[in-house]
Each structure stands twice: as C-alpha cells, then as structure tokens.
Amino acid sequence: MAENETLECITEHERILQEIESTDTACVGPTLRSIYDDQPNAHKRFMEKLDARIRNHDREIEKMCNFHHQGFVDAITELLKVRADAEKLMCQVTDTNRRLQEAGREVTAQTEEVIRCRIQQRNMATTVEKLQLCIPVLEMYSKLKEQLESKRYYAALKTMEQLEKVYIPRVSQYRFCQIMAENLPRLREEIKEISMSDLKDFLESIRKHSDKVGETAMRQAQQHRTFNSAVAKQASTGHYTKPVYSLNGRTHTHTHNGLMMEEDSGEEEEADEEVLTAQDLVDFSPVYRCLHIYTVLGDRETFENYYRKQRKKQARLVLQPQANMHETVEGYRRYFNQIVGFFVVEDHILHATRGLVTRAFTDELWNMALSKIIAVLRTHSSYCDDPDLVLELKNLIVIFADTLQGYGFPVNRLFDLLFEVRDQYNETLLKKWALVFREIFELDNYSPIPVETEEEYKLVVSRFPFHDAEIEKQDFPKKLPMSQSVPQIYTQVKEFIYASLKFSESLHRSSTEIDDMLRKSTNLLLTRTLSSCLQNLIKKPHIGLTELVQIIINTTHLEQACRYLEEFITNITNVSPETVHTTRLYGLSTFKDARHAAEGEIYTKLNQKIDEFIQLADYEWGMAESDGRASGYLMDLINFLRSTFQVFTHLPNNNNDHASMSGKVAQTACMSACKHLSTSLMQMLLDTELKQISMGAIQQFNLDVIQCELFASSEPVPGFQGDTLQLAFIDLRQLLDLFMVWDWSTYLADYGQPTSKYLRVNPATALALLEKVYRG
C-alpha cells in the first residue's frame, strides 16, 4: 500500500511539473495550491522532486552549451574583427553627414522660406475666401444700421430677415456673427417700440385734427347737395353729373334713393376747386408702417387689438358733448365735425389696410356712436328755445347724415330723430309766434282800417285776401271792415308756414308728407297758439265792447281767409287738397270758438256794466210820494245801452255776413241786457235785507220800469219782432201793476188760468213783496 501511494504521488508531481512548465506564469497559482491541498508533507516531496527536475535541466543546458561553445567563440572572434571596420565606417558616415549638413544648410533655409510662403499663401487664400463670405454680412448689417438711422423700419426688418436666413448661417462660426445674431432680436424690439410710439403720436394727432377732417367732409357734402339741386333742375337736358366729394380717395355721387355710389374720378370743371382727400389732411404712414412692422414680426393680432381698443376709447371721447353745446350752432358743428372726422379716418383705414379694421368693427362703432349721438341730440335739442338755432341744428344733422351716408354708414335713425327735432322746432315756432300774435293784438287799435288812396288799398289787399265789390265801388277815402291786426296775423301765419317748410327741406320726404306736416303744424298754430292768444285777449280788462265787436269781425275775416291759406300750402307743396288723407285746416272751429268767446264776453261785460249802474241806485224805500221822474242812475244806464247798441248798428252793413253777424250779436246782447236788468230790478225789490217798502217807493220804482219798457219798445237794435224785447220786463210789470192797482181780487180769482191778467206773478214773489209793503 505504501508503494502504491508513493507511485501515485510521484505521478501527480510529474503532472504538476508539466503544468508548471507548460502554463503561463499568471495561472500557476491554482496548480501550486493543489500541492498544499494534498497530504501533509507532500510539498516537501514535491520540492525534492522539483530540485531533481532543476538539476536535470541544468545538466541538459550544460550539455547544450558544451555543444555550441566553439561556434560562440568563433562568432565573438568575427565580431571583434568587424568592430574595427564598424568604427572606420562610423567615422566615414559622420564625416559624410557633416559635409552633407554643411552643403544642405542653405537649401534647408530656402526650403523653410518656401514652406513659410506657401503657408502664407494658403492662409491668404483662406482669408480671402472667408472675407468674401463675411463682407456681404457686414454690408447687410451696415445697410441695416443706415435703415434704422433713416427710420426705414420696414426695410430694416426685411434686411434682418435676409441676415438671419441667408447671410449669417454662412459664417455662423465667427464670433462677430454670433454677436450680430444676438443683437437682432433687440433691434426688432426697438423697432416695435419706435413704431408703436409713432402710432401713439398718430392717434393723438388724429384726435386733434378730426374736426378739420370732418369740417372738410361736411363742407364738401354741403357743396354736393347744392350741386345736386342744380343738376336736378337740368336733369331733363341730360347734362353730365360731375363727381363729388371724396375724403378717402374714392369719389361718390348720389343715386335716386339717396345712397352713395363709387365712380371713377373725372376732371373737375373748375380747376381751382381741388378735391381734398384724407391723405391730404392726415399722414397715415405711421399706421401703415406700424402695421407692416407688426405683420413682419408675426404680431399683427396684437397691433390690431391695440389699434381697435384705442380707437374705441377715442370714439367715446369724441362722442362726449360739451355742457353748453346747445347754446350756439358752433357747438353742434364742432361736435359733428369731430364725429365725421373720426369715421372718415376709420373708413379710409378700412379700405387702405385690408384687415386692420373690419366692416363689422366699424359698424359696431357706428351703432354705438349713433345711439350716443341720438341721445345727446335729443337731450340738448330739448334745451333750445330759439327756432333759428333748431333750424340750423336740423341743417347740420342733414349734412352730417348725408356725409356719413356717403361713406356707407346707415343714417335712417338720424332722419327719424329729425321728426322729434321737428316737433321741438314747431314748439319753438309756436312760442315765438305766440309773442308775435300778442304784440300784434297789443298794438292794434281795433278800428276799421282807413284807406286814403288806391295804393293803400292795394297794399292792404296784397297782404290779405280781401274782396268786397261794394267797398271797391266806394270812393276814397274809405274803411275796410277789419282792423290792422287781420292782415298782420294773416301775414304772420304765412311766415310761420314758410318757417315750418324750411325744416321739411332736405329730409328726403315726399311732397305729400311735407304737405301733411305743414298742415298739421299750421293747425297747431291756429288751434292752440292763435286760439289761446285770442282767448287771453278777449279776457283782458281793457278790452271793451267796441273792441270785442271788432274782434268778432276780425275772426270772421280770418276764418274766411283759411281757404287761401290752404291754397297757399298747396302752391308751395304742389299737393292738391283733394288728395286722400290730406289734413284740413281747423281755422273754422278756431275762429268760431273765438267769436263765441267774444260774444259771451260781450254779454258778460254788458251785464257787469249794468250791475255797476244798479249799484249806484239809491232808492228811498220809505218815501211818501214819488218824484214824478225816473231815477238818474237808470237814465244813465239806458243812455249807456243806447250808445252801446249803436256800435252794433253802425258796423259796416254792406256785407251780408257782417250784417247778419252784427245783427245777431246785437239782438242777443240787447235781449241779454234787458233780461239781466229786469232780473236785477226784481232782486232789488225782493232783497231780504230790505224790510219795508212804501207805496211811494213802489211808484218811483214803477217809473223806472216804465223807462226800461220805453227803451225796449224804442227798438234799440233792429230785427226784433213785435214786443219781444218788452217781454223781458213782463214779470216785473205784472208784479208792479198788481201792487199799483191793488187788484188782489182779480189775481186770486184768475190764478192758474191761462188768460189771467197776472199770469207771470209768482205767489211767493207777491207774498214776499206784500209783507214788505204792509210793514210799510
């Protein structure tokens, strides 16, 4: 067993040695580790084996050296021989190299110079090539600086774009190009700020100069209206219609429906009348420049929003009126000029910039402005009390509307507003004419108009349509039945119609509508203003019976003149009064009402005068016997009545209308006076404060009643039939007869019978008076 183990160990040591010999030194570790992992003291035996192996190799090396020793010695011997030749060769090579170096030193220097020149040439070529790439960039940048200095910002932006997209990318590796590229955004921002500053200056400037633009536009619109009026008269001859005003480079003309159409500009007939445009009055270059700049920079939307926002603010400022605008027409004119100027500029921007503002934006601004304008005009026009100012305001509104209509803005609401202004105008006219009428009435002498010559007669007839064949046949001097206020009133009514017509002009309304407006306003003048003045005149204390009678005659003539006023309106409007829905003048009812009021005032004043005389009565109710003659107050009263009724009888009676009118008024007044006198006398007898009456007083009272009856029977006013007027005193007469005769038996016997002698004596009245007489 020991031998077997020894053989195995020896075999294993051989294998390990072979591995050590054949294995790379870095991998010997695992092999050696296996020696120490075997049986104890195995490494000693391995060391022994290793020593034996080393000795074996040493013997082999020694054998090999002994075998090659002679060749080695021979080689050394040969090498020693070569050593001397090598040293000789080395000296020769060194000497040759020295001589070669000395001979090539000049060539080397020239070669280095050639190399340096070649490098310079290459550098110069490269430099030229690079400079050729850089010079256009520098030139473009220099051009950019010049454009900025000359404020050609739009061109500068185009130059920047070329620099960024074309030139700088070619030489982007150079530092100066990088600096340029970094500087371009800053320059763009500076351009944006400068252009926006220019735009702000433009907006401020256009706000200040809007009134000038508007003034020019409205003046040209007014000239155009005048021109159209002249052309309308020559339309039938086929004359050429020349172009009209333009403030935005476009020329307009009206069509038959009042709209504006564009036409090609033609040569003006008058060389000295140059048509101004918006460009002539306003420099729009800041807007175009800023718009182009922001468009190039890709920020157009920001610019559009800013511009529209600022213009909206300016529109609100323009639409704010001055507090005292209604006091003068210049205030309204400045207000309209600013608004027109604003929208003329916007219209030009709309057509010149293609998108900076849109039609929807301008329509929105106009609708907002129109509502504000109408509210302002409605408020301020209500403060106007001068018809001339209201008329000038109307003309301004018409020109204002026509001007803006020429630029495509709808103005129907402005013409609707004019109907409200027309009502205000009519009100101011009515107030003005009320003063005129009152002044005429105050200055009238209420006497028939005397005419001394034919010229005077023709002058009156030319002012008032008076025709009377009988009066025309009379010799001069003669009198016309009406007073001087009649032709004056008639003339003033015509003046009112003219004044009212002035407002209806240029309203784009038909003749029928204008005729209707004139008739309605004239009706208001007659039924309200003139009627009110007449009513106030009739009620004035200083107007006596004579004046009242003359007023009645005057109103009759004015009533008859109403048909001439209708003809007058027809002539100026060319609308036949037979046209359907034509308004009629209400002068008939107006003057009839005035006559009735005057008649009533006559009756009232007569009765008041009678009462004044009655108050002067001073009866001695306890007198024993009468004086035998009528009382003085009553005789004065009767004389007053006679003279008063003579005023009626002396009125011109050659005109049937006058005669019938004066006769009717006189009869009614006379009957009213007699009845009032009878009633007043009866009340005097029956006065409750009168306690006792003597028969002498009754006899005196009877004498006064007899005078009243004599007055009634004397026919103070012609036209009464029989004893109609005496019947006013029948109640008083029967009562006095009863007491004078003391015929109580007859009264009591016939009481209640239709044939009674004292049929008009009331028992209560008789009893009341009887109690007073008995007490006497």
Side-chain angles (χ1 to χ4, degrees), residues 205-451:
S205 174
I206 197 62
R207 179 186 172 190
K208 295 179 180 179
H209 295 89
S210 290
D211 56 345
K212 181 62 177 177
V213 176
E215 179 185 358
T216 304
M218 290 184 67
R219 183 172 63 250
Q220 292 173 350
Q222 188 172 12
Q223 294 172 352
H224 168 65
R225 288 179 57 218
T226 305
F227 175 77
N228 269 1
S229 299
V231 169
K233 297 178 181 178
Q234 302 175 357
S236 59
T237 63
H239 286 185
Y240 170 70
T241 303
K242 75 173 183 177
V244 293
Y245 67 94
S246 171
L247 275 178
N248 57 6
R250 294 175 294 137
T251 305
H252 303 279
T253 184
H254 279 284
T255 61
H256 68 282
N257 58 1
L259 298 176
M260 306 293 289
M261 300 293 291
E262 293 187 11
E263 292 186 354
D264 296 332
S265 298
E267 183 178 357
E268 294 293 335
E269 295 181 0
E270 298 182 6
D272 58 342
E273 292 185 3
E274 181 181 359
V275 177
L276 296 176
T277 63
Q279 294 92 330
D280 297 327
L281 299 172
V282 180
D283 180 17
F284 289 96
S285 58
V287 180
Y288 305 148
R289 186 164 54 246
C290 197
L291 176 62
H292 291 163
I293 289 172
Y294 273 77
T295 301
V296 171
L297 295 177
D299 204 9
R300 179 187 176 108
E301 183 178 356
T302 300
F303 173 75
E304 290 177 355
N305 293 335
Y306 177 81
Y307 178 86
R308 296 179 186 181
K309 181 179 179 181
Q310 294 302 315
R311 288 299 276 169
K312 279 186 177 180
K313 290 181 179 179
Q314 290 189 344
R316 294 188 179 95
L317 293 176
V318 165
L319 294 171
Q320 291 296 329
Q322 295 181 351
N324 60 343
M325 184 177 72
H326 62 278
E327 296 178 357
T328 61
V329 70
E330 288 303 319
Y332 288 107
R333 182 174 285 111
R334 286 193 297 270
Y335 183 65
F336 288 142
N337 286 344
Q338 290 179 355
I339 296 173
V340 170
F342 178 89
F343 283 100
V344 166
V345 170
E346 285 307 292
D347 181 77
H348 178 81
I349 294 294
L350 173 66
H351 292 89
T353 58
R354 296 183 181 179
L356 177 56
V357 296
T358 61
R359 175 56 67 182
F361 173 74
T362 56
D363 289 344
E364 178 187 357
L365 276 182
W366 173 242
N367 291 330
M368 181 268 291
L370 192 58
S371 299
K372 179 65 175 179
I373 293 167
I374 290 174
V376 168
L377 293 179
R378 184 178 287 127
T379 300
H380 283 261
S381 63
S382 63
Y383 298 146
C384 295
D385 54 4
D386 181 4
D388 294 334
L389 179 58
V390 179
L391 183 61
E392 290 181 349
L393 172 60
K394 167 258 173 181
N395 293 330
L396 281 177
I397 293 175
V398 170
I399 297 172
F400 173 73
D402 286 347
T403 304
L404 288 174
Q405 190 178 45
Y407 291 93
F409 296 101
V411 294
N412 292 334
R413 291 174 62 189
L414 284 175
F415 283 102
D416 293 338
L417 172 68
L418 284 175
F419 283 94
E420 299 180 26
V421 179
R422 181 199 65 190
D423 295 337
Q424 174 66 19
Y425 177 69
N426 285 336
E427 288 297 323
T428 58
L429 286 181
L430 292 175
K431 292 178 181 178
K432 177 179 178 180
W433 257 261
L435 298 176
V436 172
F437 290 152
R438 283 199 289 268
E439 184 178 3
I440 290 174
F441 289 142
E442 290 175 359
L443 298 178
D444 193 7
N445 58 7
Y446 297 99
S447 299
I449 301 175
V451 287

Side-chain angles (χ1 to χ4, degrees), residues 378-565:
R378 184 178 287 127
T379 300
H380 283 261
S381 63
S382 63
Y383 298 146
C384 295
D385 54 4
D386 181 4
D388 294 334
L389 179 58
V390 179
L391 183 61
E392 290 181 349
L393 172 60
K394 167 258 173 181
N395 293 330
L396 281 177
I397 293 175
V398 170
I399 297 172
F400 173 73
D402 286 347
T403 304
L404 288 174
Q405 190 178 45
Y407 291 93
F409 296 101
V411 294
N412 292 334
R413 291 174 62 189
L414 284 175
F415 283 102
D416 293 338
L417 172 68
L418 284 175
F419 283 94
E420 299 180 26
V421 179
R422 181 199 65 190
D423 295 337
Q424 174 66 19
Y425 177 69
N426 285 336
E427 288 297 323
T428 58
L429 286 181
L430 292 175
K431 292 178 181 178
K432 177 179 178 180
W433 257 261
L435 298 176
V436 172
F437 290 152
R438 283 199 289 268
E439 184 178 3
I440 290 174
F441 289 142
E442 290 175 359
L443 298 178
D444 193 7
N445 58 7
Y446 297 99
S447 299
I449 301 175
V451 287
E452 302 292 335
T453 62
E454 182 73 21
E455 288 73 17
E456 292 183 10
Y457 179 78
K458 289 181 179 180
L459 179 62
V460 175
V461 173
S462 67
R463 297 170 57 199
F464 181 76
F466 175 77
H467 304 287
D468 191 302
E470 295 295 330
I471 294 180
E472 290 177 359
K473 292 178 183 179
Q474 295 177 5
D475 296 331
F476 290 98
K478 52 189 174 183
K479 291 184 177 182
L480 303 182
M482 63 281 190
S483 65
Q484 63 183 3
S485 64
V486 171
Q488 292 175 353
I489 292 292
Y490 182 80
T491 302
Q492 287 301 321
V493 172
K494 291 174 65 175
E495 290 297 325
F496 175 87
I497 294 173
Y498 276 127
S500 182
L501 177 64
K502 288 181 181 178
F503 194 92
S504 301
E505 295 173 348
S506 307
L507 291 185
H508 307 300
R509 298 295 173 178
S510 65
S511 298
T512 304
E513 291 177 300
I514 294 175
D515 182 87
D516 187 61
M517 287 188 288
L518 285 181
R519 292 176 183 271
K520 287 181 178 178
S521 59
T522 306
N523 277 331
L524 282 177
L525 178 71
L526 296 176
T527 59
R528 195 171 78 183
T529 305
L530 182 55
S531 176
S532 176
C533 290
L534 284 170
Q535 296 292 339
N536 293 333
L537 173 66
I538 291 168
K539 298 295 183 182
K540 287 184 178 294
H542 69 276
I543 298 297
L545 295 172
T546 304
E547 289 80 3
L548 289 171
V549 172
Q550 188 62 55
I551 289 172
I552 292 173
I553 296 173
N554 290 348
T555 54
T556 302
H557 285 283
L558 288 172
E559 178 184 335
Q560 294 170 353
C562 283
R563 61 188 180 91
Y564 295 101
L565 290 176

Side-chain angles (χ1 to χ4, degrees), residues 607-619 633 637 680 684:
N607 293 340
Q608 289 175 351
K609 200 65 177 177
I610 292 172
D611 291 339
E612 292 176 5
F613 280 102
I614 293 295
Q615 290 175 3
L616 297 176
D618 187 17
Y619 286 103
Y633 84 92
L637 172 57
S680 299
M684 191 184 299

Side-chain angles (χ1 to χ4, degrees), residues 128-143:
V128 169
E129 181 182 355
K130 298 303 181 181
L131 285 176
Q132 287 177 344
L133 292 177
C134 293
I135 286 175
V137 179
L138 296 173
E139 289 178 346
M140 289 297 290
Y141 195 79
S142 176
K143 180 181 178 182

